[in-house]
Amino acid sequence: MPNSDADQKDAAVAVHNRDGRGPVVVVCEHASKTIPAQYGTLGLPPDLLDSHIAWDPGALAVALEMSKALDAPLVAGELSRLLFDCNRPPEAPDAIPERSEIHEIPGNQNLSDDELAHRTHAIHDPFREALQGVVTRFANPPVMITVHSFTPIYRGQPRDVEIGLLHDTDDRLARAMMSNAADHTNRIVRLNDPYGPQDGVTHTLRTHALPVGAVNVMLEIRNDLIRDAAAQTAIAAMLTRWIATACADLNVDLPIKVAT
């Protein structure tokens, strides 16, 4: 356990481009695989601590590029989702996962109420507060874009979807993007695939976008498409143009030049 809540809170979240002037907030909940030394290895070998069960590989790099292109603040998780998944409410069974895919997480087994509360207070709460603080500084609700990546093979089954456009009850941006997907990419694109709200993955949208009526979308990018810097930059540029076009269809102007 960390030496103090203050130590952990300082590490739980980072806000990049805090003073960005674009009417957009970018979010990357699973940006990092960092596990502070106080937690040890959670009983896992190095290869699993480096794998997608610990974070979303490539997602932060894409999010940073989009933040720059849109002049948007970016709120990013600084700790592994194995400690606490900031895209889950504290009461969710998988907020502190005892198992991820086929892998047991020994360091998350049989946690006491105090230990569960500590993780919530030290990781979930500062992330929520930082994101809420960024959103509320806008006079009007900003467009919210959350950026994730997913593994090409899940529980032994290959996934053919390459880009997922996820939404909760507000599907405006996801459907606007879907309607002009072919103008921006030849990748296999689907709505609410490989995950959807039924999987509990839209917590950030439900908590920070839906209550204020913010146009929003959750992006899922298959992580074999963003393994290196060149691919990350290219995907980010494509997604930024695509989102801007879709937002224009919704009469929301974003501060970039969209290639025609």
PDB file of all heavy atoms in Angstrom, residues 98-127:
ATOM      1  N   GLU A  98     -10.301  -8.783 -10.058  1.00  0.00           N
ATOM      2  CA  GLU A  98      -9.663  -9.961  -9.477  1.00  0.00           C
ATOM      3  C   GLU A  98      -9.188 -10.912 -10.570  1.00  0.00           C
ATOM      4  O   GLU A  98      -8.341 -11.767 -10.332  1.00  0.00           O
ATOM      5  CB  GLU A  98     -10.632 -10.682  -8.542  1.00  0.00           C
ATOM      6  CG  GLU A  98     -11.029  -9.855  -7.330  1.00  0.00           C
ATOM      7  CD  GLU A  98     -11.894 -10.625  -6.362  1.00  0.00           C
ATOM      8  OE1 GLU A  98     -12.157 -11.827  -6.604  1.00  0.00           O
ATOM      9  OE2 GLU A  98     -12.310 -10.037  -5.349  1.00  0.00           O
ATOM     10  N   ARG A  99      -9.744 -10.708 -11.768  1.00  0.00           N
ATOM     11  CA  ARG A  99      -9.384 -11.534 -12.915  1.00  0.00           C
ATOM     12  C   ARG A  99      -9.485 -10.667 -14.153  1.00  0.00           C
ATOM     13  O   ARG A  99     -10.401  -9.860 -14.282  1.00  0.00           O
ATOM     14  CB  ARG A  99     -10.339 -12.733 -13.010  1.00  0.00           C
ATOM     15  CG  ARG A  99     -10.076 -13.704 -14.158  1.00  0.00           C
ATOM     16  CD  ARG A  99     -11.155 -14.789 -14.148  1.00  0.00           C
ATOM     17  NE  ARG A  99     -10.958 -15.748 -15.218  1.00  0.00           N
ATOM     18  CZ  ARG A  99     -10.222 -16.848 -15.116  1.00  0.00           C
ATOM     19  NH1 ARG A  99      -9.634 -17.132 -13.974  1.00  0.00           N
ATOM     20  NH2 ARG A  99     -10.077 -17.677 -16.140  1.00  0.00           N
ATOM     21  N   SER A 100      -8.562 -10.801 -15.087  1.00  0.00           N
ATOM     22  CA  SER A 100      -8.622 -10.111 -16.364  1.00  0.00           C
ATOM     23  C   SER A 100      -8.443 -11.139 -17.473  1.00  0.00           C
ATOM     24  O   SER A 100      -7.416 -11.829 -17.522  1.00  0.00           O
ATOM     25  CB  SER A 100      -7.541  -9.034 -16.461  1.00  0.00           C
ATOM     26  OG  SER A 100      -7.642  -8.335 -17.684  1.00  0.00           O
ATOM     27  N   GLU A 101      -9.452 -11.264 -18.314  1.00  0.00           N
ATOM     28  CA  GLU A 101      -9.495 -12.336 -19.305  1.00  0.00           C
ATOM     29  C   GLU A 101      -9.313 -13.676 -18.591  1.00  0.00           C
ATOM     30  O   GLU A 101     -10.092 -14.017 -17.716  1.00  0.00           O
ATOM     31  CB  GLU A 101      -8.456 -12.108 -20.408  1.00  0.00           C
ATOM     32  CG  GLU A 101      -8.748 -10.892 -21.266  1.00  0.00           C
ATOM     33  CD  GLU A 101      -7.830 -10.770 -22.465  1.00  0.00           C
ATOM     34  OE1 GLU A 101      -7.278 -11.783 -22.905  1.00  0.00           O
ATOM     35  OE2 GLU A 101      -7.673  -9.638 -22.956  1.00  0.00           O
ATOM     36  N   ILE A 102      -8.226 -14.395 -18.922  1.00  0.00           N
ATOM     37  CA  ILE A 102      -8.009 -15.708 -18.309  1.00  0.00           C
ATOM     38  C   ILE A 102      -7.029 -15.639 -17.141  1.00  0.00           C
ATOM     39  O   ILE A 102      -6.671 -16.658 -16.561  1.00  0.00           O
ATOM     40  CB  ILE A 102      -7.478 -16.713 -19.355  1.00  0.00           C
ATOM     41  CG1 ILE A 102      -6.124 -16.262 -19.916  1.00  0.00           C
ATOM     42  CG2 ILE A 102      -8.492 -16.903 -20.473  1.00  0.00           C
ATOM     43  CD1 ILE A 102      -5.464 -17.302 -20.834  1.00  0.00           C
ATOM     44  N   HIS A 103      -6.627 -14.425 -16.752  1.00  0.00           N
ATOM     45  CA  HIS A 103      -5.550 -14.267 -15.781  1.00  0.00           C
ATOM     46  C   HIS A 103      -6.072 -13.823 -14.419  1.00  0.00           C
ATOM     47  O   HIS A 103      -6.754 -12.798 -14.303  1.00  0.00           O
ATOM     48  CB  HIS A 103      -4.536 -13.235 -16.293  1.00  0.00           C
ATOM     49  CG  HIS A 103      -4.017 -13.525 -17.660  1.00  0.00           C
ATOM     50  ND1 HIS A 103      -3.167 -14.576 -17.938  1.00  0.00           N
ATOM     51  CD2 HIS A 103      -4.263 -12.906 -18.863  1.00  0.00           C
ATOM     52  CE1 HIS A 103      -2.882 -14.591 -19.222  1.00  0.00           C
ATOM     53  NE2 HIS A 103      -3.541 -13.592 -19.802  1.00  0.00           N
ATOM     54  N   GLU A 104      -5.767 -14.593 -13.398  1.00  0.00           N
ATOM     55  CA  GLU A 104      -6.057 -14.194 -12.035  1.00  0.00           C
ATOM     56  C   GLU A 104      -5.081 -13.081 -11.622  1.00  0.00           C
ATOM     57  O   GLU A 104      -3.916 -13.095 -12.010  1.00  0.00           O
ATOM     58  CB  GLU A 104      -5.914 -15.382 -11.084  1.00  0.00           C
ATOM     59  CG  GLU A 104      -6.853 -16.545 -11.376  1.00  0.00           C
ATOM     60  CD  GLU A 104      -8.301 -16.215 -11.082  1.00  0.00           C
ATOM     61  OE1 GLU A 104      -8.548 -15.317 -10.241  1.00  0.00           O
ATOM     62  OE2 GLU A 104      -9.193 -16.837 -11.696  1.00  0.00           O
ATOM     63  N   ILE A 105      -5.562 -12.131 -10.827  1.00  0.00           N
ATOM     64  CA  ILE A 105      -4.734 -11.030 -10.331  1.00  0.00           C
ATOM     65  C   ILE A 105      -4.567 -11.237  -8.821  1.00  0.00           C
ATOM     66  O   ILE A 105      -5.401 -10.774  -8.025  1.00  0.00           O
ATOM     67  CB  ILE A 105      -5.367  -9.657 -10.609  1.00  0.00           C
ATOM     68  CG1 ILE A 105      -5.922  -9.569 -12.044  1.00  0.00           C
ATOM     69  CG2 ILE A 105      -4.359  -8.539 -10.329  1.00  0.00           C
ATOM     70  CD1 ILE A 105      -4.892  -9.724 -13.127  1.00  0.00           C
ATOM     71  N   PRO A 106      -3.522 -11.942  -8.388  1.00  0.00           N
ATOM     72  CA  PRO A 106      -3.397 -12.285  -6.961  1.00  0.00           C
ATOM     73  C   PRO A 106      -3.428 -11.077  -6.040  1.00  0.00           C
ATOM     74  O   PRO A 106      -4.035 -11.125  -4.959  1.00  0.00           O
ATOM     75  CB  PRO A 106      -2.042 -13.009  -6.894  1.00  0.00           C
ATOM     76  CG  PRO A 106      -1.861 -13.582  -8.260  1.00  0.00           C
ATOM     77  CD  PRO A 106      -2.444 -12.565  -9.187  1.00  0.00           C
ATOM     78  N   GLY A 107      -2.799  -9.975  -6.461  1.00  0.00           N
ATOM     79  CA  GLY A 107      -2.743  -8.802  -5.602  1.00  0.00           C
ATOM     80  C   GLY A 107      -4.057  -8.072  -5.441  1.00  0.00           C
ATOM     81  O   GLY A 107      -4.154  -7.136  -4.632  1.00  0.00           O
ATOM     82  N   ASN A 108      -5.079  -8.497  -6.190  1.00  0.00           N
ATOM     83  CA  ASN A 108      -6.406  -7.901  -6.063  1.00  0.00           C
ATOM     84  C   ASN A 108      -7.403  -8.839  -5.389  1.00  0.00           C
ATOM     85  O   ASN A 108      -8.587  -8.525  -5.302  1.00  0.00           O
ATOM     86  CB  ASN A 108      -6.950  -7.496  -7.436  1.00  0.00           C
ATOM     87  CG  ASN A 108      -6.253  -6.282  -8.011  1.00  0.00           C
ATOM     88  OD1 ASN A 108      -5.516  -5.595  -7.327  1.00  0.00           O
ATOM     89  ND2 ASN A 108      -6.465  -6.022  -9.296  1.00  0.00           N
ATOM     90  N   GLN A 109      -6.919  -9.973  -4.921  1.00  0.00           N
ATOM     91  CA  GLN A 109      -7.799 -10.946  -4.294  1.00  0.00           C
ATOM     92  C   GLN A 109      -7.995 -10.612  -2.814  1.00  0.00           C
ATOM     93  O   GLN A 109      -7.063 -10.221  -2.118  1.00  0.00           O
ATOM     94  CB  GLN A 109      -7.198 -12.361  -4.411  1.00  0.00           C
ATOM     95  CG  GLN A 109      -6.876 -12.803  -5.826  1.00  0.00           C
ATOM     96  CD  GLN A 109      -8.106 -13.176  -6.625  1.00  0.00           C
ATOM     97  OE1 GLN A 109      -9.087 -13.652  -6.077  1.00  0.00           O
ATOM     98  NE2 GLN A 109      -8.041 -12.974  -7.933  1.00  0.00           N
ATOM     99  N   ASN A 110      -9.221 -10.772  -2.363  1.00  0.00           N
ATOM    100  CA  ASN A 110      -9.533 -10.700  -0.926  1.00  0.00           C
ATOM    101  C   ASN A 110      -9.095  -9.382  -0.286  1.00  0.00           C
ATOM    102  O   ASN A 110      -8.580  -9.364   0.839  1.00  0.00           O
ATOM    103  CB  ASN A 110      -8.895 -11.879  -0.180  1.00  0.00           C
ATOM    104  CG  ASN A 110      -9.346 -13.217  -0.738  1.00  0.00           C
ATOM    105  OD1 ASN A 110     -10.545 -13.437  -0.952  1.00  0.00           O
ATOM    106  ND2 ASN A 110      -8.386 -14.103  -1.003  1.00  0.00           N
ATOM    107  N   LEU A 111      -9.280  -8.282  -0.995  1.00  0.00           N
ATOM    108  CA  LEU A 111      -8.945  -6.983  -0.422  1.00  0.00           C
ATOM    109  C   LEU A 111      -9.969  -6.616   0.658  1.00  0.00           C
ATOM    110  O   LEU A 111     -11.159  -6.886   0.535  1.00  0.00           O
ATOM    111  CB  LEU A 111      -8.939  -5.908  -1.507  1.00  0.00           C
ATOM    112  CG  LEU A 111      -7.883  -6.049  -2.609  1.00  0.00           C
ATOM    113  CD1 LEU A 111      -8.027  -4.906  -3.609  1.00  0.00           C
ATOM    114  CD2 LEU A 111      -6.480  -6.079  -2.039  1.00  0.00           C
ATOM    115  N   SER A 112      -9.469  -5.999   1.698  1.00  0.00           N
ATOM    116  CA  SER A 112     -10.358  -5.561   2.774  1.00  0.00           C
ATOM    117  C   SER A 112     -11.157  -4.331   2.335  1.00  0.00           C
ATOM    118  O   SER A 112     -10.837  -3.674   1.333  1.00  0.00           O
ATOM    119  CB  SER A 112      -9.544  -5.216   4.018  1.00  0.00           C
ATOM    120  OG  SER A 112      -8.773  -4.042   3.783  1.00  0.00           O
ATOM    121  N   ASP A 113     -12.186  -4.010   3.083  1.00  0.00           N
ATOM    122  CA  ASP A 113     -12.965  -2.809   2.788  1.00  0.00           C
ATOM    123  C   ASP A 113     -12.080  -1.570   2.821  1.00  0.00           C
ATOM    124  O   ASP A 113     -12.241  -0.650   2.001  1.00  0.00           O
ATOM    125  CB  ASP A 113     -14.111  -2.655   3.784  1.00  0.00           C
ATOM    126  CG  ASP A 113     -15.213  -3.692   3.573  1.00  0.00           C
ATOM    127  OD1 ASP A 113     -15.236  -4.328   2.503  1.00  0.00           O
ATOM    128  OD2 ASP A 113     -16.043  -3.844   4.482  1.00  0.00           O
ATOM    129  N   ASP A 114     -11.142  -1.518   3.761  1.00  0.00           N
ATOM    130  CA  ASP A 114     -10.228  -0.378   3.851  1.00  0.00           C
ATOM    131  C   ASP A 114      -9.340  -0.281   2.621  1.00  0.00           C
ATOM    132  O   ASP A 114      -9.076   0.819   2.108  1.00  0.00           O
ATOM    133  CB  ASP A 114      -9.364  -0.476   5.105  1.00  0.00           C
ATOM    134  CG  ASP A 114     -10.127  -0.119   6.370  1.00  0.00           C
ATOM    135  OD1 ASP A 114     -11.246   0.420   6.257  1.00  0.00           O
ATOM    136  OD2 ASP A 114      -9.605  -0.397   7.466  1.00  0.00           O
ATOM    137  N   GLU A 115      -8.862  -1.439   2.139  1.00  0.00           N
ATOM    138  CA  GLU A 115      -8.007  -1.433   0.949  1.00  0.00           C
ATOM    139  C   GLU A 115      -8.798  -1.007  -0.287  1.00  0.00           C
ATOM    140  O   GLU A 115      -8.294  -0.250  -1.130  1.00  0.00           O
ATOM    141  CB  GLU A 115      -7.386  -2.814   0.752  1.00  0.00           C
ATOM    142  CG  GLU A 115      -6.318  -3.152   1.782  1.00  0.00           C
ATOM    143  CD  GLU A 115      -5.872  -4.601   1.694  1.00  0.00           C
ATOM    144  OE1 GLU A 115      -6.727  -5.495   1.557  1.00  0.00           O
ATOM    145  OE2 GLU A 115      -4.646  -4.835   1.782  1.00  0.00           O
ATOM    146  N   LEU A 116     -10.022  -1.484  -0.415  1.00  0.00           N
ATOM    147  CA  LEU A 116     -10.865  -1.079  -1.541  1.00  0.00           C
ATOM    148  C   LEU A 116     -11.141   0.419  -1.488  1.00  0.00           C
ATOM    149  O   LEU A 116     -11.055   1.119  -2.507  1.00  0.00           O
ATOM    150  CB  LEU A 116     -12.178  -1.858  -1.512  1.00  0.00           C
ATOM    151  CG  LEU A 116     -12.096  -3.368  -1.756  1.00  0.00           C
ATOM    152  CD1 LEU A 116     -13.446  -4.022  -1.466  1.00  0.00           C
ATOM    153  CD2 LEU A 116     -11.661  -3.674  -3.177  1.00  0.00           C
ATOM    154  N   ALA A 117     -11.459   0.915  -0.294  1.00  0.00           N
ATOM    155  CA  ALA A 117     -11.739   2.338  -0.152  1.00  0.00           C
ATOM    156  C   ALA A 117     -10.502   3.173  -0.446  1.00  0.00           C
ATOM    157  O   ALA A 117     -10.597   4.259  -1.038  1.00  0.00           O
ATOM    158  CB  ALA A 117     -12.250   2.623   1.264  1.00  0.00           C
ATOM    159  N   HIS A 118      -9.334   2.681  -0.036  1.00  0.00           N
ATOM    160  CA  HIS A 118      -8.100   3.425  -0.296  1.00  0.00           C
ATOM    161  C   HIS A 118      -7.855   3.576  -1.788  1.00  0.00           C
ATOM    162  O   HIS A 118      -7.532   4.668  -2.264  1.00  0.00           O
ATOM    163  CB  HIS A 118      -6.908   2.715   0.337  1.00  0.00           C
ATOM    164  CG  HIS A 118      -5.607   3.348  -0.035  1.00  0.00           C
ATOM    165  ND1 HIS A 118      -5.074   4.405   0.652  1.00  0.00           N
ATOM    166  CD2 HIS A 118      -4.756   3.097  -1.067  1.00  0.00           C
ATOM    167  CE1 HIS A 118      -3.939   4.778   0.071  1.00  0.00           C
ATOM    168  NE2 HIS A 118      -3.739   3.997  -0.969  1.00  0.00           N
ATOM    169  N   ARG A 119      -8.016   2.500  -2.536  1.00  0.00           N
ATOM    170  CA  ARG A 119      -7.788   2.592  -3.987  1.00  0.00           C
ATOM    171  C   ARG A 119      -8.769   3.564  -4.630  1.00  0.00           C
ATOM    172  O   ARG A 119      -8.406   4.341  -5.514  1.00  0.00           O
ATOM    173  CB  ARG A 119      -7.900   1.208  -4.625  1.00  0.00           C
ATOM    174  CG  ARG A 119      -6.820   0.235  -4.155  1.00  0.00           C
ATOM    175  CD  ARG A 119      -6.112  -0.396  -5.278  1.00  0.00           C
ATOM    176  NE  ARG A 119      -5.419  -1.597  -4.821  1.00  0.00           N
ATOM    177  CZ  ARG A 119      -5.301  -2.708  -5.526  1.00  0.00           C
ATOM    178  NH1 ARG A 119      -5.818  -2.756  -6.740  1.00  0.00           N
ATOM    179  NH2 ARG A 119      -4.652  -3.745  -5.044  1.00  0.00           N
ATOM    180  N   THR A 120     -10.020   3.509  -4.208  1.00  0.00           N
ATOM    181  CA  THR A 120     -11.009   4.444  -4.742  1.00  0.00           C
ATOM    182  C   THR A 120     -10.620   5.884  -4.434  1.00  0.00           C
ATOM    183  O   THR A 120     -10.629   6.749  -5.322  1.00  0.00           O
ATOM    184  CB  THR A 120     -12.398   4.147  -4.140  1.00  0.00           C
ATOM    185  OG1 THR A 120     -12.799   2.823  -4.510  1.00  0.00           O
ATOM    186  CG2 THR A 120     -13.436   5.146  -4.633  1.00  0.00           C
ATOM    187  N   HIS A 121     -10.261   6.141  -3.199  1.00  0.00           N
ATOM    188  CA  HIS A 121      -9.926   7.493  -2.772  1.00  0.00           C
ATOM    189  C   HIS A 121      -8.650   7.999  -3.438  1.00  0.00           C
ATOM    190  O   HIS A 121      -8.541   9.184  -3.773  1.00  0.00           O
ATOM    191  CB  HIS A 121      -9.771   7.517  -1.248  1.00  0.00           C
ATOM    192  CG  HIS A 121      -9.467   8.864  -0.689  1.00  0.00           C
ATOM    193  ND1 HIS A 121     -10.306   9.957  -0.828  1.00  0.00           N
ATOM    194  CD2 HIS A 121      -8.392   9.323   0.015  1.00  0.00           C
ATOM    195  CE1 HIS A 121      -9.778  11.008  -0.242  1.00  0.00           C
ATOM    196  NE2 HIS A 121      -8.617  10.666   0.274  1.00  0.00           N
ATOM    197  N   ALA A 122      -7.700   7.101  -3.646  1.00  0.00           N
ATOM    198  CA  ALA A 122      -6.392   7.518  -4.150  1.00  0.00           C
ATOM    199  C   ALA A 122      -6.297   7.547  -5.664  1.00  0.00           C
ATOM    200  O   ALA A 122      -5.458   8.262  -6.214  1.00  0.00           O
ATOM    201  CB  ALA A 122      -5.308   6.580  -3.604  1.00  0.00           C
ATOM    202  N   ILE A 123      -7.149   6.801  -6.365  1.00  0.00           N
ATOM    203  CA  ILE A 123      -7.010   6.692  -7.818  1.00  0.00           C
ATOM    204  C   ILE A 123      -8.277   7.168  -8.539  1.00  0.00           C
ATOM    205  O   ILE A 123      -8.226   8.093  -9.362  1.00  0.00           O
ATOM    206  CB  ILE A 123      -6.655   5.246  -8.236  1.00  0.00           C
ATOM    207  CG1 ILE A 123      -5.387   4.774  -7.514  1.00  0.00           C
ATOM    208  CG2 ILE A 123      -6.477   5.164  -9.748  1.00  0.00           C
ATOM    209  CD1 ILE A 123      -5.046   3.307  -7.731  1.00  0.00           C
ATOM    210  N   HIS A 124      -9.414   6.565  -8.228  1.00  0.00           N
ATOM    211  CA  HIS A 124     -10.651   6.945  -8.900  1.00  0.00           C
ATOM    212  C   HIS A 124     -11.028   8.404  -8.643  1.00  0.00           C
ATOM    213  O   HIS A 124     -11.345   9.156  -9.575  1.00  0.00           O
ATOM    214  CB  HIS A 124     -11.798   6.035  -8.448  1.00  0.00           C
ATOM    215  CG  HIS A 124     -13.165   6.530  -8.831  1.00  0.00           C
ATOM    216  ND1 HIS A 124     -13.894   7.398  -8.032  1.00  0.00           N
ATOM    217  CD2 HIS A 124     -13.942   6.294  -9.920  1.00  0.00           C
ATOM    218  CE1 HIS A 124     -15.038   7.669  -8.618  1.00  0.00           C
ATOM    219  NE2 HIS A 124     -15.102   7.013  -9.754  1.00  0.00           N
ATOM    220  N   ASP A 125     -11.005   8.806  -7.381  1.00  0.00           N
ATOM    221  CA  ASP A 125     -11.505  10.137  -7.026  1.00  0.00           C
ATOM    222  C   ASP A 125     -10.706  11.267  -7.653  1.00  0.00           C
ATOM    223  O   ASP A 125     -11.295  12.208  -8.210  1.00  0.00           O
ATOM    224  CB  ASP A 125     -11.572  10.289  -5.505  1.00  0.00           C
ATOM    225  CG  ASP A 125     -12.649   9.399  -4.886  1.00  0.00           C
ATOM    226  OD1 ASP A 125     -13.391   8.734  -5.638  1.00  0.00           O
ATOM    227  OD2 ASP A 125     -12.739   9.372  -3.640  1.00  0.00           O
ATOM    228  N   PRO A 126      -9.363  11.245  -7.597  1.00  0.00           N
ATOM    229  CA  PRO A 126      -8.631  12.347  -8.241  1.00  0.00           C
ATOM    230  C   PRO A 126      -8.799  12.371  -9.753  1.00  0.00           C
ATOM    231  O   PRO A 126      -8.814  13.450 -10.353  1.00  0.00           O
ATOM    232  CB  PRO A 126      -7.178  12.112  -7.833  1.00  0.00           C
ATOM    233  CG  PRO A 126      -7.111  10.729  -7.319  1.00  0.00           C
ATOM    234  CD  PRO A 126      -8.465  10.384  -6.809  1.00  0.00           C
ATOM    235  N   PHE A 127      -8.948  11.203 -10.372  1.00  0.00           N
ATOM    236  CA  PHE A 127      -9.197  11.189 -11.818  1.00  0.00           C
ATOM    237  C   PHE A 127     -10.540  11.845 -12.114  1.00  0.00           C
ATOM    238  O   PHE A 127     -10.646  12.718 -12.988  1.00  0.00           O
ATOM    239  CB  PHE A 127      -9.164   9.760 -12.349  1.00  0.00           C
ATOM    240  CG  PHE A 127      -9.308   9.674 -13.846  1.00  0.00           C
ATOM    241  CD1 PHE A 127      -8.201   9.711 -14.663  1.00  0.00           C
ATOM    242  CD2 PHE A 127     -10.563   9.589 -14.438  1.00  0.00           C
ATOM    243  CE1 PHE A 127      -8.334   9.664 -16.048  1.00  0.00           C
ATOM    244  CE2 PHE A 127     -10.710   9.544 -15.815  1.00  0.00           C
ATOM    245  CZ  PHE A 127      -9.585   9.577 -16.620  1.00  0.00           C
TER     246      PHE A 127
END
